[in-house]
Amino acid sequence: MKKTILISLFITLLFNALLAQENKDEDLIKNVIQDAYVDGLCNNADEEAIRKGFHPDFNLIGARADNTIWKLQIDKWIETAKKGKERGHKYSFQDEFTSVKFLSVDIAGKVAVVKIEFYEGKEMNYIDYLSLMKFEDGWKIVSKIFHPIPKGNK
């Protein structure tokens, strides 16, 4: 009987420890997305914040109408954000503040996929899927694909 109770207690403690680690990773992932992507890239064109949260081999991946794929590397995206601020935009790409709503965070070991709603001002313009990997220096955004919300569906 004591053995069964001890085994049950051990399993419960182990499960709680694993759950706590996943919750910690989820918070770290959300912070990376907020600090590097939303605030760093979209709102402030802050290259230091961007580079802290994006992997150097990051690619933004999109599809053209002819079903071909295009890619944008992080260096080019940073350059575009900076040019937006230089042209007088209040924020990096537009004059509306960017915010996101986290819809899901799926973590498997050292990889994660996050689904977010992307807002410019009060208008939701995209559904983003961000892929992240955990490195020695923390979670990094390694790729993004997205779905633009058609103007009539907002």
Side-chain angles (χ1 to χ4, degrees):
M1 178 76 150
K2 284 184 179 180
K3 203 177 207 181
T4 304
I5 292 172
L6 286 174
I7 291 172
S8 296
L9 182 61
F10 176 74
I11 291 171
T12 301
L13 290 173
L14 182 62
F15 177 77
N16 285 338
L18 291 173
L19 188 58
Q21 179 60 43
E22 187 167 306
N23 288 339
K24 180 182 173 190
D25 279 334
E26 183 173 327
D27 289 342
L28 291 170
I29 288 167
K30 287 180 177 180
N31 287 339
V32 166
I33 291 169
Q34 184 65 46
D35 295 346
Y37 177 42
V38 178
D39 292 333
L41 183 71
C42 298
N43 287 327
N44 302 317
D46 178 350
E47 186 170 354
E48 184 178 336
I50 298 165
R51 293 205 184 277
K52 186 175 178 185
F54 281 83
H55 190 274
D57 292 327
F58 166 90
N59 277 301
L60 166 61
I61 303 168
R64 295 181 189 93
D66 65 357
N67 290 326
T68 59
I69 298 289
W70 57 265
K71 293 180 184 179
L72 183 67
Q73 296 175 334
I74 192 60
D75 291 334
K76 295 290 185 189
W77 211 10
I78 291 169
E79 185 180 313
T80 302
K82 287 180 173 181
K83 285 181 182 175
K85 292 284 274 194
E86 290 168 5
R87 284 195 300 267
H89 284 298
K90 187 174 180 183
Y91 301 104
S92 302
F93 304 106
Q94 72 284 335
D95 291 322
E96 297 290 335
F97 185 76
T98 296
S99 62
V100 298
K101 177 181 176 186
F102 289 89
L103 300 178
S104 66
V105 179
D106 187 1
I107 304 167
K110 295 184 181 226
V111 298
V113 176
V114 179
K115 180 180 180 182
I116 58 175
E117 291 177 347
F118 183 94
Y119 292 84
E120 292 171 344
K122 294 181 180 182
E123 194 170 309
M124 181 177 55
N125 289 330
Y126 302 96
I127 300 290
D128 286 352
Y129 295 87
L130 302 168
S131 297
L132 295 93
M133 296 178 80
K134 189 174 188 179
F135 297 93
E136 287 182 13
D137 59 341
W139 287 97
K140 304 288 183 189
I141 305 168
V142 297
S143 69
K144 171 189 160 178
I145 59 173
F146 62 96
H147 168 69
I149 305 300
K151 296 288 183 201
N153 293 355
K154 294 182 183 179

